[in-house]
Amino acid sequence: MGLLLLDHQDSFTYNLAELITEVTSFPLQIISSSSWQPAFLEDIRGVILSPGPMRPKDHPGLFPCIEACAEKNIPLLGVCLGHQGIGEYFGASLIQLPQVIHGRKKSIEVQPSDELFAGLPTLLEVGLYHSWMLEKDTLPEVLEIIGISAENEIMAIRHREKPIFGIQFHPESFLTPQGAQVMSNFISLCP
C-alpha cells in the first residue's frame, strides 16, 4: 500500500515527488491526471494532487479523483492547482489574480492545532506560484480555512468531516522551509 501523486503536467510534480519520498518509505505512484481511473485507488493510503497550469476544470481527471477520495475517505492533499480543485469541487469559486505570483515568499498564519500543521509555529514562510485563488466569500460551510495570508487570502483549507486538505503554497519549494514537515504531517494521516 502506497501513495498516489496525480500529475497535472507541471514542472513541480517531480520536485513534489522527491519531497514525498524523502519523508516516507511508502511506495509512490505518479499517474497523469489525463489517464485517471478509479481503479488507481486500490491499495492506496493517500493521494496528493500536484500543482499544474491553467485551472482545475482543464484537467479531466481532477474532479473524479476528488470525488472518489471523498466517497472512500482516502486522505487527500491538494497542492496549488490541487487545492483550488478541492475548493471548486465542494462549491467555492476561483478568482484570477491581477498579477501572476511566481516564486514569491510570503508569511502566512496557520492553525497549529490542525493535524496538517502539527508541531509548526503559527506563522510559516511559504513559496507561492499561482495566478488563481479561491474566493473567500464563496467557500462552502463544509470547508474550513486553516491557513490565511496577511491580505486575507486563503492559503490552506480542510474538509470538516473528511481527511481532505488543500494548500495554496508549494511545500516542495525552497521558499517553504518547513514544507517537509507539512508533507510528513499529511502522510501521518494516511493509514
Side-chain angles (χ1 to χ4, degrees):
M1 288 184 66
L3 300 169
L4 175 70
L5 176 57
L6 195 67
D7 177 18
H8 298 107
Q9 308 306 309
D10 192 77
S11 59
F12 290 106
T13 297
Y14 286 88
N15 293 345
L16 190 57
E18 185 176 333
L19 173 65
I20 294 164
T21 59
E22 285 174 8
V23 300
T24 185
S25 59
F26 293 160
L28 178 65
Q29 288 183 61
I30 303 173
I31 303 291
S32 171
S33 176
S34 61
S35 64
W36 162 257
Q37 296 175 28
F40 292 146
L41 293 182
E42 289 178 26
D43 296 324
I44 290 296
R45 291 175 179 260
V47 175
I48 298 102
L49 306 173
S50 85
M54 301 179 289
R55 293 178 288 174
K57 70 178 184 178
D58 298 315
H59 299 275
L62 180 55
F63 292 145
C65 180
I66 295 169
E67 179 177 34
C69 288
E71 285 176 0
K72 297 174 184 265
N73 268 337
I74 295 172
L76 177 66
L77 174 66
V79 177
C80 199
L81 176 88
H83 156 84
Q84 295 164 8
I86 289 169
E88 266 199 313
Y89 175 79
F90 287 103
S93 297
L94 284 182
I95 53 173
Q96 191 168 22
L97 300 175
Q99 258 189 330
V100 174
I101 296 173
H102 190 81
R104 186 184 317 161
K105 189 174 192 173
K106 186 177 270 197
S107 182
I108 66 167
E109 185 176 343
V110 299
Q111 292 181 15
S113 59
D114 190 88
E115 301 103 321
L116 193 64
F117 299 118
L120 293 169
T122 303
L123 290 178
L124 286 186
E125 293 292 317
V126 298
L128 299 173
Y129 304 78
H130 63 286
S131 56
W132 294 86
M133 69 177 186
L134 293 174
E135 188 174 19
K136 191 171 180 230
D137 294 341
T138 67
L139 201 71
E141 185 62 30
V142 73
L143 297 178
E144 175 184 7
I145 297 171
I146 57 171
I148 198 148
S149 72
E151 296 79 19
N152 212 26
E153 298 165 342
I154 298 173
M155 290 290 126
I157 56 173
R158 75 165 297 144
H159 194 282
R160 292 185 189 272
E161 299 165 6
K162 298 180 179 289
I164 296 176
F165 303 85
I167 53 177
Q168 181 61 71
F169 60 89
H170 284 236
E172 79 286 358
S173 171
F174 72 98
L175 297 174
T176 309
Q178 291 162 310
Q181 182 65 50
V182 174
M183 185 59 69
S184 182
N185 286 349
F186 170 71
I187 292 169
S188 73
L189 302 174
C190 300

